[in-house]
Amino acid sequence: MSPKLSACWVALGPLLCSCALALQGGMLFPRESPSRELKALDGLWRFRADFSENRRQGFEQQWYRQPLREVRAPGAFNDITQEARLRNFVGWVWYEREAILPQRWTQDSETRVMLRINSAHYYAVVWVNGIHVVEHEGGHLPFEADISKLVQTGPLTTCRITIAINNTLTPHTLPPGSIIYKADTSMYPKGYFVQDISFDFFNYAGLHRSVVLYTTPTTYIDDITVTTNVEQDIGLVNYWISVQGNEHFELEVRLLDEDGNVVAEETGHQGQLRVPGANLWWPYLMHEHPAYLYSLEVRMTTTGPMSDFYTLPVGIRTVAVTESKFLINGKPFYFHGVNKHEDSDIRGKGFDWPLLMKDFNLLYWLGANSFRTSHYPYSEEVLQLCDRYGIVVIDECPGVGIVLPQSFGNESLQHHLAVMEELVRRDKNHPAVVMWSVANEPSSALKPAGYYFKTLISHTRALDPTRPVTFVTNTRYDADLGAPYVDVICVNSYFSWYHDYGHLEVIQLQLKSQFENWYKTHQKPIIQSEYGAEAITGFHEDPPIMFSEEYQKALLENYHSVFDQKRKEYVVGELIWNFADFMTNQTPLRVIGNKKGIFTRQRHPKSAAFILRERYWRIANETRQHHHSVPRTQCLGSRPFTF
Ligand code: GCB
């Protein structure tokens, strides 16, 4: 085993962040602290879709100037009414609500009041009391505006927040799409258009996650970056902190263990904390005490009375890759996990705590130690749960369905680079995140694609030299597109599903050839990043027939026998497509969405879930670091936590 790439990721410490990011501000997750207050604007918002022909009536009539009328909960708007035209709506929708602000927020000029939108899909324009405050492109990453000046100008204690959101996708958005005008008036009404997309999930839109108001002092901790390393049994926590608002400040940093004992302390905006006998952050099922988290308490004081406090959970762990292994804390890690979607009945992509807890309980039940955030960044709360429960994450950006020639030009590339910067800025401190994925299955037939992905991958590596970078390809695509530049090869294949329909007997040969060809060309560890078959729950056939639960099961078993041979060599993971059934566009290829879930959309197990459960627990018991077998009754309840 030659440690070709490993050394560079673990050693670079505080280099990550400030050097490469061109973005303004740190985008720390809003947390309450003695110096910070928070007000979540969940609940009902007023809502109006702009059905006008040009979709611009809202701007022409300045809807942000007076209250809207209809009322709706936040979340995707598509599935909460009985209106087909709203379900399929493309254009601007308007959300609005009032917030009552505590007097101190509006009267204390040393308080900074921030408005943060955790996800508005796809393009958003925001006004406060009719005044434009911020715009943002991209549906899965947060953005914010300092609204202190607006709310601190008079006796006002309420503010009206208006958010206009447009879900139109173009060849330069991520994901890309295009509007197709249907000009044949014998077939379509005048002005008729549809949104065309090349990705396989429903383009839910609206306010998918919380909108929050929060405060900080006017001199404040703007960003914290942490990287970790291990020397012998000493855990090293490298930190870098940026403060905004004043040049004269002091910083005290303390690291506390799970019992609240201070294990290391330092002062200054940059430094290293040393933790002898550190408890490492281990993935679920790899260690008897997985997911150990320390708390990094940062206290900033100025010469005046101002102080700011922020506490960041920190897991000490290393990640490295060799020619044939993925190492966590120096030990071989095998991804036995899933691909997910943010998707459920009624909510669409709307954030929902009970759903999230159900999904994590199912991951624990299944014995899954990992997932990929296919095909876009998931909510920060998801990543916090992964840190807390030891679920390893391949963090993917929304680079999915990139197939149009125009989507490989400079405009698209610049946007893709900016999205990677936003993603790394948001997720860099999560120990659960072990690899970045810059795209899923872009078209390999187009010439500029090679340059595009080379640039994207090397830029991502420069943004974060502490984690490997991947690019998810399809086994039928050109091996030269991204594979020469990535650290780990992630490959999707659908043998006996999208070709050789019904011929389960060819899977093993085709899968073996796939692995051998990719490895021979690149000598890099390989993850089977997608494989699966559709099964409509309750359909049974013997012998197995496509769409029956038996076919899904048999297809999986054929893949598994090859995984078992190749994981002894260089295959370092298998991620089933998909965790649960999910909604897609309507096409004759889909029966009310994609049915490749091992759970239904309502999270009921299909037969395949039990096959995977047996398998994942067996692998876990083979590969665990301590010689006790892990009881299969594990559930989340045994590890209570707070944020
Ligand atoms: C893929 C895509 C995924 C699809 C899946 C399928 O290769 O990456 O987004 O949903 O295949 O089921 O066709």
Side-chain angles (χ1 to χ4, degrees):
M1 181 166 77
S2 93
K4 197 168 69 166
L5 300 161
S6 59
C8 58
W9 288 318
V10 288
L12 280 161
L15 284 182
L16 175 111
C17 79
S18 56
C19 52
L21 292 178
L23 300 170
Q24 298 287 311
M27 205 57 72
L28 285 173
F29 184 75
R31 293 175 196 278
E32 287 177 313
S33 81
S35 59
R36 294 171 175 235
E37 291 163 85
L38 191 144
K39 196 174 169 61
L41 301 180
D42 295 330
L44 296 179
W45 286 64
R46 286 187 286 271
F47 174 90
R48 186 165 172 189
D50 186 344
F51 288 108
S52 64
E53 208 170 296
N54 67 2
R55 300 289 198 256
R56 295 201 55 82
Q57 195 177 54
F59 289 92
E60 285 156 12
Q61 298 181 349
Q62 303 184 325
W63 288 358
Y64 48 88
R65 288 201 174 273
Q66 46 238 322
L68 304 170
R69 274 187 309 268
E70 284 176 60
V71 172
R72 192 135 313 155
F77 59 76
N78 310 76
D79 284 351
I80 38 182
T81 75
Q82 305 310 104
E83 277 187 76
R85 67 172 189 156
L86 186 62
R87 183 170 193 273
N88 302 319
F89 182 77
V90 179
W92 291 99
V93 296
W94 293 68
Y95 285 86
E96 184 200 72
R97 67 164 278 175
E98 261 100 40
I100 297 174
L101 306 181
Q103 214 170 39
R104 210 184 58 68
W105 291 25
T106 59
Q107 292 185 355
D108 178 1
S109 62
E110 300 207 322
T111 292
R112 180 172 160 265
V113 183
M114 298 297 293
L115 171 63
R116 187 191 218 251
I117 289 118
N118 286 339
S119 167
H121 188 72
Y122 176 83
Y123 193 91
V125 185
V126 184
W127 295 262
V128 170
N129 295 329
I131 296 166
H132 174 275
V133 294
V134 69
E135 295 189 17
H136 183 257
E137 175 173 356
H140 313 280
L141 290 163
F143 58 101
E144 58 185 26
D146 183 341
I147 60 165
S148 322
K149 287 211 175 70
L150 280 175
V151 298
Q152 288 170 351
T153 47
L156 190 85
T157 50
T158 64
C159 66
R160 190 165 48 81
I161 298 161
T162 314
I163 309 175
I165 305 176
N166 194 328
N167 60 353
T168 307
L169 301 176
T170 75
H172 307 301
T173 56
L174 269 195
S178 38
I179 298 290
I180 313 276
Y181 284 92
K182 306 274 190 177
D184 181 347
T185 51
S186 70
M187 292 183 70
Y188 305 99
K190 195 169 151 271
Y192 193 83
F193 66 86
V194 290
Q195 167 94 65
D196 192 36
I197 52 175
S198 298
F199 52 87
D200 183 36
F201 53 91
F202 193 83
N203 189 33
Y204 281 109
L207 273 183
H208 286 158
R209 301 177 192 152
S210 288
V211 175
V212 299
L213 287 165
Y214 72 94
T215 64
T216 72
T218 46
T219 300
Y220 59 95
I221 299 160
D222 174 51
D223 198 10
I224 305 171
T225 303
V226 160
T227 64
T228 63
N229 204 349
V230 182
E231 271 173 13
Q232 316 287 359
D233 75 332
I234 303 177
L236 304 177
V237 178
N238 305 300
Y239 71 86
W240 182 94
I241 300 163
S242 87
V243 170
Q244 293 290 333
N246 193 331
E247 281 170 13
H248 307 288
F249 58 84
E250 283 178 6
L251 280 166
E252 291 165 57
V253 179
R254 307 192 311 164
L255 194 71
L256 278 67
D257 66 16
E258 283 188 352
D259 299 320
N261 305 312
V262 177
V263 294
E265 42 196 334
E266 261 296 339
T267 55
H269 80 279
Q270 181 173 346
Q272 186 176 72
L273 299 157
R274 295 173 69 83
V275 189
N279 290 304
L280 302 188
W281 187 95
W282 287 98
Y284 172 51
L285 298 178
M286 200 169 169
H287 192 270
E288 57 194 339
H289 190 164
Y292 193 96
L293 290 178
Y294 291 89
S295 299
L296 186 81
E297 285 187 359
V298 179
R299 177 194 164 105
M300 186 275 317
T301 45
T302 61
T303 39
M306 202 170 296
S307 50
D308 191 17
F309 304 87
Y310 191 91
T311 301
L312 182 77
V314 168
I316 302 177
R317 58 108 182 92
T318 63
V319 173
V321 172
T322 71
E323 261 178 25
S324 60
K325 298 269 175 288
F326 195 100
L327 304 174
I328 295 185
N329 300 330
K331 306 276 189 226
F333 176 74
Y334 187 75
F335 295 78
H336 43 92
V338 303
N339 290 277
K340 286 185 97 269
H341 262 301
E342 289 187 320
D343 177 271
S344 71
D345 284 340
I346 303 169
R347 296 153 188 80
K349 295 200 180 306
F351 179 81
D352 184 62
W353 271 115
L355 175 77
L356 197 57
M357 294 314 295
K358 179 72 180 173
D359 282 4
F360 272 78
N361 272 298
L362 289 177
L363 290 172
Y364 258 42
W365 175 88
L366 195 63
N369 63 3
S370 51
F371 65 80
R372 171 165 72 117
T373 68
S374 45
H375 293 305
Y376 38 81
Y378 294 177
S379 73
E380 287 162 273
E381 290 84 348
V382 169
L383 297 179
Q384 288 161 359
L385 287 186
C386 289
D387 291 344
R388 176 61 61 185
Y389 291 126
I391 302 293
V392 165
V393 175
I394 301 174
D395 202 352
E396 187 158 282
C397 91
V400 56
I402 310 180
V403 297
L404 300 167
Q406 310 94 288
S407 301
F408 289 99
N410 198 39
E411 185 177 345
S412 295
L413 177 59
Q414 292 313 317
H415 177 56
H416 206 146
L417 296 174
V419 171
M420 282 312 304
E421 291 190 10
E422 284 185 40
L423 177 62
V424 172
R425 173 177 66 171
R426 193 195 73 163
D427 294 347
K428 63 190 171 185
N429 291 325
H430 289 286
V433 174
V434 300
M435 182 154 64
W436 305 111
S437 163
V438 299
N440 179 73
E441 291 191 8
S443 163
S444 58
L446 301 159
K447 263 237 155 110
Y451 168 76
Y452 187 102
F453 285 102
K454 186 176 172 189
T455 312
L456 191 58
I457 292 163
S458 58
H459 185 78
T460 306
R461 196 170 285 124
L463 284 172
D464 180 4
T466 72
R467 288 179 178 90
V469 182
T470 192
F471 153 101
V472 177
T473 189
N474 188 291
T475 200
R476 306 176 95 194
Y477 286 6
D478 182 355
D480 285 341
L481 180 56
Y485 318 115
V486 299
D487 302 305
V488 174
I489 293 187
C490 283
V491 56
N492 303 341
S493 56
Y494 287 93
F495 305 127
S496 223
W497 188 260
Y498 287 123
H499 51 90
D500 300 303
Y501 320 127
H503 292 287
L504 294 164
E505 65 278 9
V506 301
I507 293 176
Q508 296 196 22
L509 177 62
Q510 294 185 357
L511 185 58
K512 245 194 232 161
S513 310
Q514 163 193 288
F515 286 139
E516 285 163 12
N517 291 340
W518 283 88
Y519 194 72
K520 195 164 96 214
T521 320
H522 297 289
Q523 291 96 53
K524 292 178 182 175
I526 304 177
I527 294 175
Q528 180 74 39
S529 42
E530 284 182 28
Y531 72 105
E534 309 219 11
I536 298 178
T537 192
F539 277 26
H540 294 288
E541 293 289 343
D542 182 49
I545 292 183
M546 290 176 85
F547 293 99
S548 68
E549 295 198 31
E550 287 70 25
Y551 192 90
Q552 188 184 38
K553 242 169 51 176
L555 182 139
L556 263 52
E557 283 166 339
N558 274 290
Y559 269 81
H560 294 164
S561 76
V562 180
F563 294 161
D564 282 341
Q565 295 162 37
K566 297 298 177 190
R567 73 189 165 92
K568 296 192 191 108
E569 301 174 38
Y570 45 78
V571 169
V572 297
E574 53 185 90
L575 305 175
I576 184 77
W577 189 263
N578 189 284
F579 173 73
D581 293 346
F582 57 92
M583 191 48 70
T584 64
N585 257 2
Q586 300 181 56
T587 97
L589 279 177
R590 298 284 178 255
V591 187
I592 313 185
N594 187 314
K595 294 284 189 283
K596 294 196 187 71
I598 53 160
F599 297 101
T600 64
R601 202 181 191 208
Q602 298 70 36
R603 277 46 178 181
H604 301 138
K606 302 180 192 172
S607 310
F610 297 95
I611 296 277
L612 269 192
R613 184 173 193 237
E614 281 303 318
R615 174 172 178 77
Y616 284 0
W617 282 97
R618 194 174 60 245
I619 296 175
N621 278 324
E622 277 168 24
T623 55
R624 71 190 187 278
Q625 295 304 317
H626 284 261
H627 296 285
H628 71 284
S629 80
V630 194
R632 281 216 308 192
T633 48
Q634 293 249 8
C635 72
L636 297 184
S638 56
R639 283 184 53 70
F641 68 94
T642 51
F643 288 107

